[in-house]
């Protein structure tokens, strides 16, 4: 069961089609796991349908209908779908693996401490920094703070901190004012996607946003 | 032949065309949901289904007549020039034809389904990154609980009542919603533009969604 959802404004912007790339990726990836949020998005899309219906129309160009009719039977361009191995398909939801366009085994994990590793995934077009994080089974990462709005989506295993337990599909919202100490569930490494909003997205944030783990 | 003329032609050629009763499923859904009847929306749903079932061009003409001007206006509101808006509208209408088989009236009305099509066309055109795609087969696989008929009915009900309750929004609430849907602006952009704190924009949208009964949130 999904216990932790992304904030409503993130789902709203996603449903309206106005969210930045990083937020879209996070929302779409969460939706793969969460029926409840798919339902929320569907309701907001219904608002979009009602809004469109009330819009005063702009007349189509002369001959527009004939032009469209003439193109209905054109062969559709079908883009080749990238293929991924079974492990990647099991762990990464489709929006994320399409974005990465790589199998998990081809990613280079970098050891950040005795208990956790990361794969830096660069920045999205809105400047948010994406990282895959792996905390070894049963281990705790020492206190750390978030220096910007940070979202964490659990992809494998789970972890607990002072706010509760986060399992597969759950989204944690990091708050710069809180330090926390996540401890991975025993038995399986915990793999998460972290999204740290970049300076381009929220104006007024000074300095580079980094996420140092203090040991 | 323009869409209006084609519809007239089809009505003459096939008595009863365009005047048919809404499908049984639609009626039952509405009865079950206690929702107000909406014959126009029912008719539009019938048209999408006729395209899926039989490649019905007259049904497509009806959809074009209803939606093409609205879709063009939608794209222009986001700042596109009339030529670009015309082009995206035509692409969206072709996508309506091609994707008709994926339409499911128990999940969304024709207007809502077509909104998602033109929204994605707008993203693909104006953003470097395209809309992330969710694989429907995977969703079934990864989600533990399936949607119950009750939930689908509840959503149908919300959607049917939505149209009537739009007028209950305050001018402030409707203006932030309009900016999001029509002007392609996220919460943070709206907040900058209106000179309002982000929290105020968030709560206006939340309150509007609660009032429309699209979400269950206390109006506090």
């Amino acid at each position: 069961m999904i216990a932790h959802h992304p904030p409503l404004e993130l789902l709203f912007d996603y449903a309206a089609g106005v969210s930045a790339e990083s937020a879209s990726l996070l929302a779409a990836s969460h939706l793969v796991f969460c029926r409840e949020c798919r339902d929320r998005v569907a309701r907001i899309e219904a608002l979009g349908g009602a809004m469109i219906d009330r819009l005063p129309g702009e007349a189509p160009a002369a001959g527009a209908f004939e032009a469209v009719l003439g193109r209905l039977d054109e062969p559709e361009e079908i883009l080749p779908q990238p293929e991924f191995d079974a492990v990647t398909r099991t762990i990464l939801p489709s929006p994320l693996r399409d974005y990465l366009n790589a199998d998990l085994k081809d990613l280079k994990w970098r050891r950040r401490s005795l208990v956790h590793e990361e794969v830096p995934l660069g920045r999205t077009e809105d400047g948010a920094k994406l990282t895959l994080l792996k905390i070894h089974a049963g281990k705790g990462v020492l206190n750390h703070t978030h220096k910007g709005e940070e979202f964490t989506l659990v992809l494998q295993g789970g972890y607990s901190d002072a706010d509760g337990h986060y399992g597969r599909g759950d989204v944690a919202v990091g708050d710069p004012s809180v330090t926390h100490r996540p401890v991975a569930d025993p038995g399986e490494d915990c793999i998460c996607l972290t999204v740290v909003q970049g300076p381009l997205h929220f104006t007024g944030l000074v300095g580079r946003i980094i996420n140092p783990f203090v040991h | 032949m323009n869409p209006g003329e084609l519809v007239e032609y089809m009505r003459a050629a096939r008595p009863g065309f365009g005047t048919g009763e809404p499908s049984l499923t639609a009626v039952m859904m509405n009865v079950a949901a206690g929702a107000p009847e909406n014959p126009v929306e029912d008719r539009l749903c019938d048209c999408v289904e006729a395209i899926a079932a039989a490649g019905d061009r007259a049904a497509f003409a009806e959809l074009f007549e209803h939606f093409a001007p609205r879709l063009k206006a939608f794209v222009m509101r986001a700042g596109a020039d009339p030529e670009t808006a015309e082009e995206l509208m035509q692409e969206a209408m072709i996508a309506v034809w091609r994707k008709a088989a994926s339409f499911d009236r128990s999940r969304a009305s024709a207007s809502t389904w077509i909104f998602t099509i033109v929204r994605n066309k707008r993203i693909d055109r104006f953003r470097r990154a395209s809309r992330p795609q969710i694989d429907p087969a995977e969703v079934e696989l990864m989600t533990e609980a399936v949607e119950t008929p009750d939930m689908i009915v509840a959503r149908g009900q919300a959607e049917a009542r939505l149209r009537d309750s739009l007028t209950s929004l305050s001018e402030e609430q409707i203006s932030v919603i309009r900016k999001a849907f029509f002007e392609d602006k996220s919460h943070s952009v709206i907040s900058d533009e209106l000179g309002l704190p982000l929290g105020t924009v968030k709560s206006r949208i939340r309150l509007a969604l609660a009032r429309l009964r699209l979400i269950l949130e206390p109006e506090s």
Side-chain angles (χ1 to χ4, degrees):
Chain A
M1 240 357 233
I2 301 293
H4 304 275
H5 305 277
L8 181 68
E9 51 272 14
L10 196 137
L11 296 177
F12 179 89
D13 284 351
Y14 174 77
V18 298
S19 52
E21 187 185 15
S22 60
S24 300
L25 193 60
L26 185 82
S29 298
H30 173 73
L31 291 182
V32 169
F33 302 105
C34 185
R35 181 189 39 64
E36 214 176 309
C37 285
R38 284 202 301 279
D39 192 56
R40 289 190 185 111
V41 165
R43 286 164 187 263
I44 299 165
E45 286 172 345
L47 175 59
M51 297 284 286
I52 267 205
D53 235 35
R54 285 156 47 98
L55 206 56
E58 288 284 337
F65 180 66
E66 286 75 3
V68 169
L69 268 191
R71 289 175 58 196
L72 291 184
D73 298 324
E74 278 178 10
E76 192 171 357
E77 187 192 2
I78 295 171
L79 298 171
Q81 293 297 309
E83 299 207 356
F84 300 97
D85 64 30
V87 174
T88 307
R89 287 200 308 271
T90 311
I91 296 174
L92 300 182
S94 47
L96 189 55
R97 56 179 190 251
D98 287 347
Y99 177 82
L100 295 181
N101 199 20
D103 282 321
L104 269 176
K105 65 174 166 47
D106 298 325
L107 300 178
K108 194 170 154 42
W109 288 96
R110 298 182 190 177
R111 188 170 278 274
R112 293 289 193 232
S113 77
L114 286 173
V115 298
H116 84 284
E117 303 164 52
E118 289 179 0
V119 184
L121 301 174
R123 288 181 186 274
T124 50
E125 64 175 346
D126 53 306
K129 191 177 159 191
L130 302 185
T131 309
L132 277 185
L133 168 69
K134 183 196 283 176
I135 306 174
H136 296 172
K139 304 293 185 187
V141 177
L142 291 187
N143 286 344
H144 69 279
T145 55
H146 300 287
K147 292 208 175 174
E149 189 165 34
E150 177 179 303
F151 296 102
T152 304
L153 170 70
V154 180
L155 302 169
Q156 175 188 290
Y159 72 86
S160 298
D161 67 9
D163 293 332
H165 180 260
Y166 293 83
R168 187 161 200 231
D170 279 330
V171 171
V173 183
D175 178 340
S177 66
V178 175
T179 53
H180 74 154
R181 182 179 190 278
V183 179
D185 295 351
E188 190 176 25
D189 290 348
C190 177
I191 298 178
C192 303
L193 171 75
T194 64
V195 179
V196 179
Q197 298 297 341
L200 293 178
H201 189 63
F202 285 108
T203 53
L205 274 184
V206 185
R208 279 187 59 219
I209 293 175
I210 49 172
N211 180 23
F213 288 86
V214 183
H215 305 292
Chain B
M1 196 180 280
N2 68 36
E5 284 166 4
L6 183 59
V7 172
E8 286 311 312
Y9 170 79
M10 291 305 297
R11 281 189 186 128
R14 280 182 12 205
F17 177 84
T19 58
E21 295 295 311
S23 78
L24 188 61
T25 337
V27 172
M28 284 173 63
M29 291 290 299
N30 282 342
V31 169
E37 287 184 29
N38 187 338
V40 174
E41 194 57 56
D42 284 342
R43 179 66 209 158
L44 296 170
C45 292
D46 291 344
C47 287
V48 182
E49 287 178 347
I51 293 171
D56 188 330
R57 285 174 189 246
F60 182 72
E62 262 188 88
L63 286 181
F64 191 94
E65 192 179 18
H66 183 86
F67 284 110
R70 290 175 166 89
L71 300 191
K72 186 171 177 182
F74 172 77
V75 182
M76 282 178 70
R77 292 274 176 117
D81 58 72
E83 290 72 31
T84 308
E86 176 73 27
E87 208 179 300
L88 278 187
M89 174 276 283
Q90 293 194 15
E91 279 177 26
M93 289 309 302
I94 292 168
V96 166
W97 174 265
R98 288 179 176 163
K99 293 175 195 283
S102 72
F103 172 68
D104 177 354
R105 73 195 300 158
S106 72
R107 293 184 178 274
S109 70
S111 299
T112 297
W113 180 68
I114 289 174
F115 161 72
T116 64
I117 289 177
V118 71
R119 171 199 68 191
N120 293 356
K121 291 277 173 205
R122 188 176 75 179
I123 294 171
D124 290 347
R125 173 63 66 95
F126 296 115
R127 304 280 178 85
R128 182 175 59 90
S130 62
R131 178 99 176 157
Q133 296 294 315
I134 297 175
D135 176 357
E138 180 185 32
V139 164
E140 298 302 323
L141 210 66
M142 295 237 195
T143 314
E144 67 296 323
V146 291
E147 205 162 33
T148 64
D150 278 359
M151 296 175 60
I152 297 174
V153 168
R155 192 161 65 222
Q157 188 174 20
E159 175 149 4
R161 289 197 176 145
L162 176 63
R163 287 153 200 275
D164 296 332
S165 50
L166 269 175
T167 49
S168 73
L169 296 186
S170 71
E171 193 42 49
E172 286 175 337
Q173 287 168 340
I174 197 87
S175 90
V176 288
I177 292 207
R178 229 184 257 131
K179 277 188 186 296
F181 279 105
F182 294 154
E183 296 174 27
D184 196 4
K185 285 168 184 155
S186 66
H187 272 73
S188 49
V189 174
I190 294 171
S191 135
D192 283 349
E193 201 174 272
L194 297 177
L196 291 169
L198 188 56
T200 308
V201 174
K202 285 182 188 177
S203 64
R204 274 186 196 172
I205 292 182
R206 267 176 191 270
L207 280 174
L209 295 179
R211 184 158 293 173
L212 296 170
R213 295 197 247 167
L214 292 183
I215 55 163
L216 298 169
E217 300 263 330
E219 297 207 15
S220 56

